[in-house]
Every structure is written in C-alpha cells, then in structure tokens.
Amino acid sequence: MLSDLNKQNLPRLNLHIPEPQFRPGDEADFSDIKIEEVGTTTRPEENVAPIDIQHMATGLIRVLDFDGHASGPWDPKLSSEIKLRMLREMVQVRIFDDRMFRAQRQGKTSFYMKCTGEEATSIAPALALADDDMVFPSYRQQGILLSRGYPMLDMMNQIYSNREDTLKGRQLPIMYSSSEHSFFSISGNLATQYPQAVGWAMASAAKQDTRIAAVWCGEGSTAEGDFHCALTFAAVYNAPVIFNVINNQWAISSFSGIAGGERATFAARGLGYGIASLRVDGNDPLAVYAATEWAANRARTNNGPTLIEHFTYRAEGHSTSDDPSSYRAAEEYAKWPLGDPLERLKQHLIGEGHWDEERHEALQQELDAQVRKTQKEAEKNGILGHGMHQEFETMFEDVFEEMPWHLKEQMELSLAEKESKFSTKKKSQKGTSNV
C-alpha cells in the first residue's frame, strides 16, 4: 500500500480532453498525415488470417497517385465503361445533394445531409458489391440507391414527405428504405444498423445463401456499444459482412479524437476482435472499389468479416442543422491532402484518353437538367408547409401485420372526431352563407 508520504509525492492526475489541431481562425496544416506511396501496401490473399495482416490497419491502400495514374497491387484494372459509370454516378450524387440542400434552405423540406467529398465511399462499393447484397447504410450513402437504379423522384418525394412519399412521411427526410433494392431502412439512431447487418449476414449463412451484407457508419459511431456488439458477434460466428467506417474527421461539432482517433486508426478497432482490417484512401474511388471487392470475395468464400476504414474528409456541415465554421478552420477541406474524389477519377480518365473537360462539362449540364426536372415533378406532389400530405388514418397502418383491437378502437374514435369537426365546420359555413 502507498503511504501518505508517497501519495504526497505523486503528481496530480490530469484528465485528457482531446482537442482538434485547428479551430476557426487557424491555418490548417495536414503535413503530419502520413500518406503511403501507391504500391507500397501489398495485396494479400483473400483467405489470409487476420493476424497476418495487422499492419494493414495502419497503412493506407492507394491506387491513384496525385497525377491520376493507377498502379500497384490493389489496382482493380476496371474497364473504362465501369470507371465512366462510377464518375457519372458520383457527379450525379453531388448535383443531387446541392439541389436538395438549396431546397432545405428555401424552406421546402426540414432537413438534409450532403456527402460532398465522400461520394467514392458509397458509389465505388455499390459497384463492387452484387446488386442483391444487403446494404445497411448510415445517412450519407444516398449514392448506393442512385447507383442501384432507385428512382430519383422517389428519393425527392421522401425528402419532401409529400403525398407520393412511399414511406408516408414517417421517416425523417433522407432516411430512405427500399427492400426491392436490398437497402435497409436508414435510422437516425447511430450504429443500430451494425448488429442488424450482422444478424442478417448470420441468417444468410444459416440458410446457405450466397448474399452478403455491408454496413456503414461514421468514425464517431464506433464509440457506440452497438458497434462493438456487432463486431463480437461477427467474429464469433464468422458472419459474411463488411464493416465500413467512414472516417471523415468530424462528427457533429466534435473531431475524430473524441471517438478515440488520437490513439489508433479506426481500422485498428477490428484487430482486437480478430477481424481482417484495412485502411483505404477514401478519396481514391479505385482503391475503395478494390478494398470492397477484396472484402466481398473474402466474405463470400466463408473467410469471415472485414472492417474497412475509409480515410476521407467531410467537405461541408454535418447536416443542414450544423454550422462547421463555428468549430473548424475555414480552409480545411481545400487543404485536405487526399483531394477531391471526383477530380481524381476525372483526371485519371482524361489521362487514359477516355474523357476530357468538354465531355465533363456536358455531363454536368445533362445531370443538372435531369435533377432540376425531377425536382419540379416532386414539388408538384407537395412540399413542407403545404398541409398534411397523407390521410389521417395512415398513422395507424403498417405498424402490425394485423391491427390490434386497441389501435382499431383509437382509429375509429379519431375518425369519428374528425368527421364531427368536419360536419360542424360545414354547418358553420352554411349558416354564414345564409346570413
């Protein structure tokens, strides 16, 4: 035991409060970030034991250099057609985001979340996975839906919560759902999708199906208990699932250090569970595709789960409810060393002779016109402030397979009250007209 005298000689304990490097007014400087040279990260066999690739949780998988050249063992060697599709869909998502952000600022919807600068972390995986693999997204994976052919009009109707909203206004804007596109319902409760994805993957394996699951969350959500519960089950039961952690440096108002990013990479969180873990340049669409393809092949051949940290940067606010200028340096995104995923893929395709600035400008104009036209169609179905877009009684529907007696009773009473108020109003209007 320590004596009182020894205790007096000990230093006082200090509580460490993580602080970001830069605050508003500071000049951002990312020179301390170690960026691996293209080709230095080896590509192991897909059946490798997780313990043999622990170093890959601290490296950085890259394919594109900053001149747009693709090389190294992780180069997926995609056809120009697939890469052009990838570029088109990334441009489409960015334009879609910009239009919906403006719609929120114009008061047409209550809420929106952009994925600017992170488009590669949804579009590239969508193309690397099978169309029927089940995805469990967070709230910046709208690109997956667009890539899988979900109608943009339906997405906008959901954002406006109007009369054509397939979710009948029951979900917060941007929290889409489509079983037909193997896209699980987005939840505002962080990381709940992680154990759901593992459970689905375990069921797929138990049925001896061929479909795997993929799930996304931000780096801040890795501090949630659901995240760690999911990794435990996935490791124990060898679930065929891909864990995607989007490390965009910021949660809402708090930087990645609050979630533990000062101590280790987020990919390293998989190591303690015995899960294969990769860290990838999240602004390199070809590297993201390659890492997803590797993890998907691993899961599909019963070699277990993979955790992928996508090292990227959130270009704008957390949502339309957030003002990033109040907590981070103004020029951070401009100085982010890994650049813009759209520009990097565009320059790669130009360098290969498959693209040019003129065609890129034409593509932007085409997609902008398409998004504007769809927006006008959606707004004909109603926007925020135009009254209740769904029939009153729909609030009681689609909750249970068979509506229980107490809900039926409540619905009937509510409808009777609604009818009574309507009749009273009609009589009042008739009396006024007679006068």
Side-chain angles (χ1 to χ4, degrees):
M1 294 178 64
L2 285 173
S3 67
D4 289 340
L5 179 61
N6 286 336
K7 284 184 179 179
Q8 290 173 11
N9 293 328
L10 289 173
R12 294 287 183 179
L13 295 174
N14 290 314
L15 181 65
H16 173 64
I17 307 295
E19 285 289 336
Q21 287 181 282
F22 323 112
R23 285 293 191 185
D26 294 339
E27 183 175 348
D29 179 6
F30 293 109
S31 58
D32 61 317
I33 293 179
K34 182 182 178 183
I35 300 176
E36 307 278 345
E37 290 294 326
V38 173
T40 58
T41 305
T42 58
R43 187 184 188 281
E45 295 296 323
E46 289 153 359
N47 63 353
V48 66
I51 197 170
D52 293 332
I53 57 167
Q54 290 190 2
H55 63 283
M56 301 199 70
T58 55
L60 195 67
I61 296 170
R62 298 179 61 213
V63 171
L64 290 175
D65 64 22
F66 296 120
D67 293 320
H69 302 124
S71 62
W74 284 93
D75 183 0
K77 300 190 183 302
L78 300 177
S79 67
S80 59
E81 288 77 16
I82 293 178
K83 288 186 283 192
L84 286 167
R85 177 183 169 185
M86 190 183 293
L87 179 65
R88 179 186 181 89
E89 291 176 355
M90 286 166 55
V91 172
Q92 182 184 38
V93 174
R94 185 165 295 185
I95 292 172
F96 178 86
D97 273 359
D98 286 343
R99 296 303 305 175
M100 293 297 95
F101 182 90
R102 291 185 202 178
Q104 191 279 333
R105 290 296 191 247
Q106 292 165 351
K108 295 177 180 178
T109 185
S110 60
F111 184 76
Y112 194 73
M113 300 183 81
K114 300 174 76 172
C115 64
T116 306
E118 303 174 39
E119 293 89 352
T121 65
S122 61
I123 296 297
L127 296 177
L129 293 167
D131 286 342
D132 62 349
D133 286 335
M134 194 69 183
V135 297
F136 293 76
S138 185
Y139 35 61
R140 292 189 212 281
Q141 279 70 57
Q142 53 266 51
I144 297 175
L145 268 183
L146 288 169
S147 182
R148 288 189 168 184
Y150 188 78
M152 190 192 304
L153 179 59
D154 287 350
M155 293 177 73
M156 290 184 178
N157 286 333
Q158 196 280 327
I159 291 166
Y160 291 133
S161 300
N162 61 30
R163 61 178 173 271
E164 293 299 321
D165 175 9
T166 57
L167 302 181
K168 300 181 181 180
R170 296 169 179 170
Q171 278 276 56
L172 189 71
I174 63 87
M175 295 194 175
Y176 317 103
S177 176
S178 178
S179 58
E180 295 84 359
H181 294 81
S182 300
F183 189 96
F184 197 80
S185 301
I186 297 175
S187 171
N189 296 320
L190 300 181
T192 55
Q193 67 272 26
Y194 259 63
Q196 291 163 349
V198 174
W200 189 95
M202 289 170 60
S204 184
K207 293 189 297 184
Q208 296 190 312
D209 200 349
T210 59
R211 300 166 68 196
I212 65 171
V215 58
W216 284 255
C217 76
E219 85 286 346
S221 296
T222 64
E224 295 284 341
D226 281 344
F227 175 87
H228 296 275
C229 175
L231 266 61
T232 297
F233 271 81
V236 170
Y237 294 101
N238 212 42
V241 59
I242 303 171
F243 297 115
N244 294 282
V245 176
I246 311 301
N247 178 10
N248 61 17
Q249 314 306 311
W250 289 95
I252 185 166
S253 305
S254 61
F255 84 118
S256 59
I258 295 294
E262 287 183 336
R263 306 294 184 180
T265 67
F266 289 96
R269 300 216 160 173
L271 299 182
Y273 296 93
I275 291 175
S277 302
L278 310 175
R279 189 166 175 263
V280 63
D281 176 352
N283 288 18
D284 179 344
L286 300 187
V288 173
Y289 182 101
T292 305
E293 183 181 48
W294 185 91
N297 289 341
R298 181 178 176 84
R300 236 180 280 281
T301 52
N302 294 308
N303 285 293
T306 302
L307 188 153
I308 304 174
E309 176 190 346
H310 302 263
F311 194 60
T312 180
Y313 190 88
R314 194 192 77 208
E316 300 195 25
H318 183 265
S319 71
T320 50
S321 303
D322 179 40
D323 177 14
S325 67
S326 65
Y327 57 81
R328 72 183 189 189
E331 299 298 318
E332 278 197 24
Y333 182 57
K335 294 189 176 183
W336 180 245
L338 296 175
D340 182 321
L342 271 70
E343 282 298 313
R344 290 178 65 184
L345 185 58
K346 182 183 80 170
Q347 292 305 320
H348 168 68
L349 285 163
I350 289 174
E352 285 194 325
H354 300 303
W355 202 237
D356 53 54
E357 294 289 355
E358 291 74 21
R359 278 185 282 184
H360 193 78
E361 178 63 29
L363 174 66
Q364 289 179 311
Q365 292 179 4
E366 174 200 340
L367 293 176
D368 185 64
Q370 180 189 94
V371 172
R372 286 172 181 266
K373 180 182 177 182
T374 306
Q375 184 180 15
K376 289 179 180 178
E377 291 180 43
E379 290 178 0
K380 290 177 184 177
N381 297 321
I383 59 174
L384 183 69
H386 283 192
M388 190 166 66
H389 297 296
Q390 301 292 332
E391 290 297 325
F392 177 80
E393 56 270 23
T394 60
M395 69 182 291
F396 297 97
E397 299 171 354
D398 305 323
V399 179
F400 298 93
E401 184 176 2
E402 293 185 16
M403 191 183 298
W405 67 268
H406 67 282
L407 276 189
K408 287 182 181 178
E409 184 179 272
Q410 188 177 346
M411 183 176 71
E412 289 166 3
L413 288 170
S414 299
L415 288 172
E417 184 179 352
K418 177 184 175 185
E419 182 62 31
S420 175
K421 287 181 179 179
F422 180 75
S423 299
T424 302
K425 184 178 180 182
K426 289 279 284 184
K427 288 178 183 177
S428 175
Q429 290 173 342
K430 186 176 180 180
T432 304
S433 64
N434 289 336
V435 171

